[in-house]
Amino acid sequence: MLQITHSIIAVHEQQNIIEYQLIATNGFQVNLLNYGGIIRAIYTPDKDGNLANVVSCHERFEPENDGYLGAITGRVAGRIADGKFHLDGKDYQLALNNNGNNLHGGPNSLDKKIWRVTEINDGVELNYFSPAGESGFPANVEFKVRYRISAEYRLSIEYFASCDAPTLLNLTNHSYFDLSAGTNTLDLELEIPAESFAEINASGCVSGTISAVENTPFDFRRAKPLGRDIYQAHPQLELAQQGYDHPFMLNPNAVIKLVDPSSLRYLYLTTTENCCVVYSGNFRPIKHSGLCLETQKIPNAINWPEYRQQVIFSPSKPYFSQTEWQFGVLNEPA
């Protein structure tokens, strides 16, 4: 049986900010807010059975949520170059909130909204209606996100959206993982089944170039510590302030693996998406604290002819995406 509790932790714009606790029978626990769908905590055991929170959060409720910690991100995750796109015969100009680009849908997007929360058998469902023109995007959109957990230490996130006119959508979750629970993110061992990654330009937006990971610091096809190559003198690492902030083009049926060699906690991540933006917290107050694995479609797809159709949705083409986070503990070496 799943236990669901909730409590009011703040009041924002005359509405209650509610924290929900989803607690499985074995103690696996996920805490989230009705504000931005923010995941504030994921408690999972280490090799000694000690539960600890393995995602970053602000200690107190902060409406601005600097760094987008744990939030549902969209309508369009990532950067849209110059905040511009063309759709259905019309040009659109979005707010420029990051180095001359539109980042994560703009300054007042889904991560800043209060969602309606309904309890379901194995978790909660969040709903939000976004009217046409909100944050500059076309179409009325009904969003639905389900957080579902199991006693097998698994969290499933399902995203649904339906619209009444053509629009663009690309959602993700912006949790920062630290399976060491605060020891050293750079020691975490990461494996990404991806043969290529998208390069970025000086503004942080994808440049339009897809490059092979082979013989670069971006090769995670075999597990390696996140920090092994992060300080290499590589132009792409330098553009991201000495770190990763890049989309990786996932192989079919990819399983992304993150392991903490100290606690032996692991995260195995699977997704219906074909891209994962790896962000190593380069711009955080404490550099490289937490690792984002943002499963989504490639950023700025609307302005890439070869990827454009992936992010365009319509009344006859509803949006769906799913990502599963499977936590656990590795067996100790014999």
Side-chain angles (χ1 to χ4, degrees):
M1 284 289 293
L2 176 68
Q3 180 185 2
I4 303 178
T5 64
H6 62 272
S7 58
I8 299 170
I9 65 165
V11 176
H12 177 62
E13 295 180 347
Q14 300 182 324
Q15 296 188 70
N16 291 334
I17 304 302
I18 302 173
E19 181 170 359
Y20 291 80
Q21 297 86 31
L22 313 181
I23 308 169
T25 51
N26 60 357
F28 178 54
Q29 179 174 335
V30 176
N31 293 3
L32 61 106
L33 299 183
N34 63 337
Y35 183 84
I38 292 170
I39 295 175
R40 296 194 78 220
I42 299 176
Y43 291 94
T44 189
D46 64 6
K47 62 186 179 183
D48 300 315
N50 299 315
L51 289 166
N53 179 22
V54 295
V55 293
S56 303
C57 71
H58 298 292
E59 287 188 17
R60 297 192 180 109
F61 172 67
E62 294 186 11
E64 284 306 306
N65 188 20
D66 184 47
Y68 300 87
L69 274 61
I72 297 169
T73 310
R75 289 187 184 190
V76 176
R79 295 169 179 84
I80 296 177
D82 303 317
K84 295 179 179 179
F85 66 93
H86 183 85
L87 180 66
D88 213 23
K90 185 176 178 181
D91 291 318
Y92 291 86
Q93 176 64 62
L94 306 173
L96 305 179
N97 61 325
N98 183 266
N99 294 331
N101 301 308
N102 179 272
L103 176 64
H104 297 327
N108 190 32
S109 205
L110 298 182
D111 62 291
K112 304 291 192 302
K113 305 301 182 183
I114 296 178
W115 294 61
R116 187 176 74 257
V117 180
T118 306
E119 295 181 11
I120 56 179
N121 286 340
D122 53 357
V124 291
E125 179 178 295
L126 290 75
N127 289 269
Y128 177 72
F129 172 74
S130 179
E134 185 169 67
S135 296
F137 292 97
N140 295 303
V141 183
E142 288 274 6
F143 289 101
K144 178 169 65 179
V145 178
R146 289 179 182 153
Y147 293 114
R148 302 162 57 213
I149 76 167
S150 78
E152 286 73 42
Y153 301 104
R154 183 170 58 252
L155 169 62
S156 173
I157 308 178
E158 297 170 324
Y159 307 86
F160 307 81
S162 57
C163 52
D164 65 353
T167 192
L168 55 155
L169 299 168
N170 190 9
L171 305 184
T172 193
N173 179 276
H174 211 288
S175 288
Y176 291 75
F177 298 105
D178 183 3
L179 303 184
S180 70
T183 306
N184 190 349
T185 304
L186 294 183
D187 287 343
L188 298 178
E189 295 176 356
L190 178 63
E191 179 180 329
I192 308 174
E195 308 297 322
S196 58
F197 74 101
E199 295 190 5
I200 61 172
N201 60 27
S203 75
C205 193
V206 288
S207 65
T209 299
I210 304 291
S211 293
V213 300
E214 190 170 6
N215 298 321
T216 77
F218 295 84
D219 192 348
F220 287 94
R221 292 174 296 177
R222 291 187 178 181
K224 67 178 181 182
L226 178 65
R228 175 177 291 174
D229 300 322
I230 205 168
Y231 293 112
Q232 278 194 24
H234 188 283
Q236 283 296 304
L237 293 176
E238 292 163 2
L239 285 173
Q241 297 297 306
Q242 212 58 50
Y244 301 98
D245 192 9
H246 296 77
F248 285 71
M249 315 305 287
L250 298 175
N251 297 343
N253 303 311
V255 180
I256 298 170
K257 298 180 180 180
L258 186 66
V259 174
D260 174 36
S262 176
S263 69
L264 297 185
R265 288 188 183 94
Y266 68 76
L267 165 63
Y268 294 169
L269 185 155
T270 57
T271 182
T272 58
E273 298 295 347
N274 58 11
C275 171
C276 180
V277 175
V278 175
Y279 173 51
S280 54
N282 322 320
F283 302 97
R284 295 199 67 193
I286 301 175
K287 195 179 183 74
H288 301 148
S289 55
L291 175 69
C292 294
L293 298 170
E294 304 164 55
T295 50
Q296 58 179 89
K297 294 167 178 59
I298 193 165
N300 199 36
I302 192 65
N303 293 313
W304 287 36
E306 58 268 51
Y307 298 108
R308 178 179 171 83
Q309 290 303 317
Q310 292 185 7
V311 294
I312 296 176
F313 296 88
S314 67
S316 61
K317 182 188 174 184
Y319 179 93
F320 174 75
S321 176
Q322 181 179 28
T323 294
E324 288 195 345
W325 299 344
Q326 177 67 64
F327 297 92
V329 179
L330 293 178
N331 293 325
E332 296 235 34

